[in-house]
């Protein structure tokens, strides 16, 4: 029996790279896992009986709610949400364009906001947890703010309800940026 025996964990951006490593760690500790990722990331992902895969573009309106319901249907509850979805691909300001900036906003901010608005009301209490991975918007803020200071806001809002919220800011993972 692992340390997370039977805990239900939903992980966004979980099909490949660092997200897949996060999945493996949770599975090694006997958690029940729901993977939420974009369709192109899930292509070729082998089905595993211990993992419930859910395909979604979380930046789409209503996708967070659909993902929350899918995670609940798959595992019966959600004990932990890991926000790992994100994208990179740096360009200088002069070289950047609206399409690149829209992709960053959609993937790194909008998708996280959609799923994180939808899942916390369904997190087990006490004992639910939210872990944000490498979110630039998670580094500062106050309760009651919406987009910036995301982790601080969530911690201030949910901490009194027994739901801790933390951020892990990782370094370079060695993955190629698109």
């Amino acid at each position: 029996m692992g340390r997370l025996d039977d805990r239900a964990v939903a992980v966004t951006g979980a099909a490949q790279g660092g997200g897949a490593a996060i999945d493996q760690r949770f599975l090694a500790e006997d958690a029940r896992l729901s993977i939420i990722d974009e369709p192109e990331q899930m292509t070729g992902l082998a089905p595993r009986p211990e993992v419930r895969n859910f395909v979604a573009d979380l930046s789409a309106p209503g996708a967070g709610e659909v993902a929350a319901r899918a995670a609940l249907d798959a595992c019966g509850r959600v004990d932990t949400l890991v926000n790992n979805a994100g994208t990179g691909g740096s360009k200088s300001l002069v070289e950047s364009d609206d399409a690149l900036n829209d992709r960053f906003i959609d993937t790194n901010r909008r998708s996280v906001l959609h799923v994180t608005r939808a899942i916390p009301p369904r997190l087990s209490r006490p004992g639910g947890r939210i872990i944000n991975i490498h979110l630039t918007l998670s580094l500062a803020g106050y309760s009651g703010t919406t987009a910036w200071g995301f982790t601080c806001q969530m911690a201030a809002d949910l901490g009194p309800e027994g739901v801790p919220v933390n951020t892990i800011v990782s370094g370079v993972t060695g993955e190629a940026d698109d």
Side-chain angles (χ1 to χ4, degrees):
M1 199 156 62
R3 292 184 301 168
L4 301 175
D5 186 45
D6 203 39
R7 285 193 60 89
V9 180
V11 183
T12 67
Q16 299 180 23
I22 291 167
D23 297 348
Q24 291 307 311
R25 191 68 215 141
F26 277 110
L27 290 173
E29 296 295 339
D30 295 326
R32 290 182 293 137
L33 193 60
S34 177
I35 291 176
I36 305 164
D37 214 326
E38 295 178 321
E40 61 272 10
Q41 300 299 321
M42 299 291 253
T43 303
L45 190 64
R48 296 176 287 177
E50 72 276 17
V51 178
R52 289 13 175 234
N53 297 341
F54 179 70
V55 177
D57 172 1
L58 292 173
S59 67
E65 187 64 33
V66 172
R69 279 194 305 263
L72 283 170
D73 290 347
C75 296
R77 66 181 192 278
V78 177
D79 299 311
T80 301
L81 168 63
V82 179
N83 282 311
N84 180 63
T87 191
S90 296
K91 288 186 177 182
S92 71
L93 178 62
V94 174
E95 294 171 334
S96 70
D97 57 26
D98 287 346
L100 177 67
N101 291 324
D102 288 346
R103 185 177 65 131
F104 288 153
I105 291 167
D106 285 348
T107 305
N108 298 348
R109 294 204 170 107
R110 187 168 287 118
S111 67
V112 175
L113 290 170
H114 286 172
V115 76
T116 308
R117 265 197 315 246
I119 287 184
R122 296 164 165 95
L123 281 172
S124 54
R125 284 180 176 73
R129 298 199 176 346
I130 298 175
I131 302 168
N132 297 323
I133 306 293
H134 198 211
L135 300 172
T136 57
L137 60 141
S138 65
L139 300 176
Y142 304 95
S143 179
T145 61
T146 299
W148 308 105
F150 191 68
T151 295
C152 293
Q153 175 200 350
M154 294 297 295
D157 290 345
L158 297 173
E161 297 177 27
V163 178
V165 183
N166 299 102
T167 291
I168 298 171
V169 180
S170 67
V172 177
T173 63
E175 296 177 45
D177 289 334
D178 359 86

